[in-house]
Amino acid sequence: MTTTTSNADSKPTASLADLMKAAGVLNAPAWFEQILIPHWPFNHQMDAIKAYPNHTRYGDFSEPGTGKTMPAQVHAILMAALGNKVVFTMPPKLIRQFIAEFREFFPGIDDHLVIDHLDRGAVQKSKLIARWDKEDSWPDILLISYDAFRQFNDRAQVRVVPRTQWKLPPELWEDPAVPENYWTRNAEGEQVPRYEDATPHTKHGDPIVARKGKYKAKNREQMRLKNTGYNVYFFDEAHALCNPEARVWKGVEAMDMDMGDEVAMYLMTGTPVPTHLHNVYGLIRIINRGAYFSKANFERKHCIIEREPFKQYLGYKDEDAIHRALYKNARRVQKRDVTDLPESLVSVTPIRLAGAHKKLYDQILLERFAVLGDQVLAPDNDSALRMLALRLISCPDEYDSSGKIGKDNELTKWMDQIVDSVNPAERKLIIFAYFKPTVRFLAQRYAKWNPAVMNGATTKGWAEVERFKKDDTCRVFVVNWGSGGAGLNLQVAHHSAFYEVPTSPKDAKQAMARTDRTGQREACNFYFPRVIGTLFDKNFKNLLKNERSNNLVVRDKHDLLYDQLKVTKRKCA
């Protein structure tokens, strides 16, 4: 972003009111004059700021790292200032960064609007909600996670009483030595009963009914967001809404059906087609409601499907029509069309398993799978078995009864070479992995570099991000690309290695965009291993195949993932 400052005192001179005038918005409140803007938007961001007020359904599908946050926040402030109530839904790891950006982009905004979040512990969150209910003081702009959206926008009248709420009879609560919660965890972390004679319980004392082996009670959170008055919704990392069978998508659909044009919905994601082309239907249905009657209608028009012995998508047709439906109420900007980012480099190194590790892999693979060329067939298409084959490569010690095989193998040798060549003493390094044991192993292996860790299980995710960005002694960041591969700004590094390669173009591209984004001044380097002769390698090939298919709809002119990796594919084949 460019910065609007005066020459004399280096303070911002443009206001939010000036920004509204430039965007053609004439009904902005007078207090917008008081909000001075340190960062004037780029031209492509201004285009988005102008587009938002003209739509109640809109998608900003610009490439990761192009700056989708500021235009969305501008429109959210305008909507809230005009009397609407706004919700931002996003992965929890992004909430505190998003709040910080609100205050960075719009200093003094807290004097005019209440902006708050629910990224808190269970007890603190419960007390905060109770206070908001009692005082009728829910925030003007609320930030929540997708889990919270599912909870607060559930259409069901009743809910399952989870085991964590099973408690002892009330007459035993008076004994301070007896915990109220019936459930606890053993040394292995498994949930186990603390006592035998307990019953399902709700803190409000609602009647509980047994249905189909589950205990259910009144759902006090039924459509809470709607009932509290929220009518403007932004969904960041909106590829979470691609699956129309998911509860979160059904919650959006329920809101759409109940409120129609009285609710505005805005989607933000750099990867509108996360893995396969048919995934795009979920987003199209939200922002372009008339495009298809149903998912079945979409599939009849565009999908080549084989249904026996199980449903498989073999290919797609009329991608031009999908492209038109996706972008009718949406846009996509690529960062290298609007910024001067240096060209990034992708390196792929072929690796072959050896010795006892290779023998163990082949043994388990042959026992569980049938391999036909590039196609791997597992019983009942069991994804768990596929994950097992991938885990065998990076975590072979978990499947070795002899105890002779550790995590040191050809893959770790490759990773050691990457670390040595980057030299974290001079350049910070991000290492992406997926399995939690792998993340722990890598953090221990490179402990000398004081690594930050984000593996999906820690509650310190935001603190670890800040430590990697600001602590000069923290030279390595070991990140689970499922929990930390989207939304984060990590331009302090420009070297990233994938110890475990994503199987989805969305996961790979989102992870790469943590460093290859606006504000990066160095050429980013990305390192991929390709474990030849394994399912790992077949996933690599599928990654390229899916990206090629998806780009027929997304139509990126600069596709770093596909253009760079397809060259390496020929070299490694």
Side-chain angles (χ1 to χ4, degrees), residues 149-445:
F149 180 87
R150 280 190 288 267
Q151 176 186 354
F152 293 143
N153 208 57
D154 193 346
R155 205 175 183 184
Q157 295 181 353
V158 297
R159 65 177 182 88
V160 174
V161 181
R163 289 181 171 181
T164 53
Q165 293 183 9
W166 284 34
K167 297 185 177 182
L168 289 171
E171 59 268 18
L172 295 182
W173 295 358
E174 296 178 2
D175 184 351
V178 180
E180 289 185 20
N181 196 336
Y182 170 61
W183 295 90
T184 185
R185 293 188 180 276
N186 61 19
E188 288 72 36
E190 301 170 327
Q191 193 176 57
V192 294
R194 194 191 302 268
Y195 303 101
E196 293 183 0
D197 53 344
T199 58
H201 173 79
T202 66
K203 62 182 179 181
H204 299 288
D206 296 325
I208 294 176
V209 179
R211 295 180 182 175
K212 297 181 179 179
K214 295 182 179 180
Y215 292 96
K216 297 187 177 183
K218 176 183 177 181
N219 182 10
R220 288 179 172 264
E221 307 298 350
Q222 183 188 17
M223 302 302 288
R224 176 190 274 271
L225 293 176
K226 172 196 167 186
N227 295 335
T228 307
Y230 287 100
N231 62 335
V232 178
Y233 293 82
F234 290 83
F235 296 91
D236 196 10
E237 305 302 336
H239 42 265
L241 298 175
C242 281
N243 180 10
E245 303 303 319
R247 280 181 58 201
V248 64
W249 191 93
K250 291 181 178 178
V252 174
E253 181 187 38
M255 202 163 44
D256 190 11
M257 294 174 62
D258 288 349
M259 302 178 69
D261 291 335
E262 295 180 7
V263 62
M265 298 185 196
Y266 304 105
L267 309 183
M268 304 153 60
T269 177
T271 49
V273 188
T275 305
H276 303 289
L277 202 49
H278 56 270
N279 298 140
V280 78
Y281 166 77
L283 301 189
I284 292 175
R285 174 64 182 80
I286 295 172
I287 62 171
N288 185 4
R289 292 176 288 175
Y292 303 99
F293 298 120
S294 63
K295 185 178 181 182
N297 176 239
F298 174 88
E299 290 183 339
R300 283 194 298 271
K301 289 184 176 182
H302 300 299
C303 301
I304 303 169
I305 299 175
E306 182 177 281
R307 300 188 181 275
E308 297 295 337
F310 50 83
K311 185 176 181 179
Q312 297 183 76
Y313 293 88
L314 303 180
Y316 303 95
K317 54 190 177 183
D318 198 2
E319 290 91 346
D320 286 347
I322 305 177
H323 172 82
R324 291 193 297 272
L326 178 64
Y327 290 119
K328 181 180 179 182
N329 296 316
R331 69 165 199 158
R332 183 170 178 85
V333 171
Q334 286 202 265
K335 53 196 168 195
R336 282 182 171 77
D337 286 337
V338 296
T339 67
D340 55 356
L341 277 174
E343 289 297 326
S344 294
L345 302 173
V346 176
S347 302
V348 181
T349 303
I351 297 171
R352 294 186 182 276
L353 300 184
H357 187 186
K358 179 69 164 63
K359 183 177 180 181
L360 176 68
Y361 180 90
D362 288 345
Q363 176 185 348
I364 294 181
L365 186 73
L366 292 174
E367 287 177 356
R368 306 291 184 91
F369 292 87
V371 183
L372 301 174
D374 285 343
Q375 188 175 14
V376 181
L377 303 178
D380 300 322
N381 196 32
D382 190 342
S383 60
L385 290 179
R386 295 170 183 267
M387 293 300 283
L388 181 150
L390 295 176
R391 197 161 180 156
L392 272 167
I393 295 172
S394 52
C395 308
D397 53 314
E398 297 181 8
Y399 306 95
D400 174 37
S401 58
S402 70
K404 297 179 180 178
I405 302 177
K407 282 188 169 65
D408 282 318
N409 52 53
E410 301 304 312
L411 188 59
T412 51
K413 291 178 183 177
W414 167 81
M415 190 70 253
D416 287 345
Q417 291 172 356
I418 296 298
V419 172
D420 290 343
S421 66
V422 171
N423 186 9
E426 297 183 2
R427 294 170 287 270
K428 290 198 174 190
L429 171 66
I430 301 172
I431 304 175
F432 288 105
Y434 180 73
F435 297 114
K436 291 178 183 177
T438 306
V439 172
R440 289 194 296 268
F441 166 72
L442 292 170
Q444 293 168 1
R445 190 174 187 86

Side-chain angles (χ1 to χ4, degrees), residues 31 73 76-77 80 86 88 95 98-103 106 108-118 120 132 137-143 230:
W31 61 261
Q73 291 182 340
I77 290 172
V86 181
F88 277 93
I95 289 177
F98 207 85
I99 287 276
E101 288 172 335
F102 253 122
R103 289 162 183 154
F106 311 101
I109 192 65
D110 292 314
D111 295 335
H112 303 277
L113 296 174
V114 178
I115 303 173
D116 212 334
H117 64 91
L118 287 175
R120 309 171 192 272
W132 288 346
S137 60
W138 280 74
D140 301 302
I141 300 177
L142 174 66
L143 278 72
Y230 287 100

Side-chain angles (χ1 to χ4, degrees), residues 20 26 65 86 118 157 249 274 303 378 382 444 453 455 511 537 546 548 556:
M20 290 292 96
L26 304 179
V86 181
L118 287 175
Q157 295 181 353
W249 191 93
C303 301
D382 190 342
Q444 293 168 1
V453 179
N455 63 11
D537 185 36
N546 290 336
R548 181 172 60 246
D556 283 349

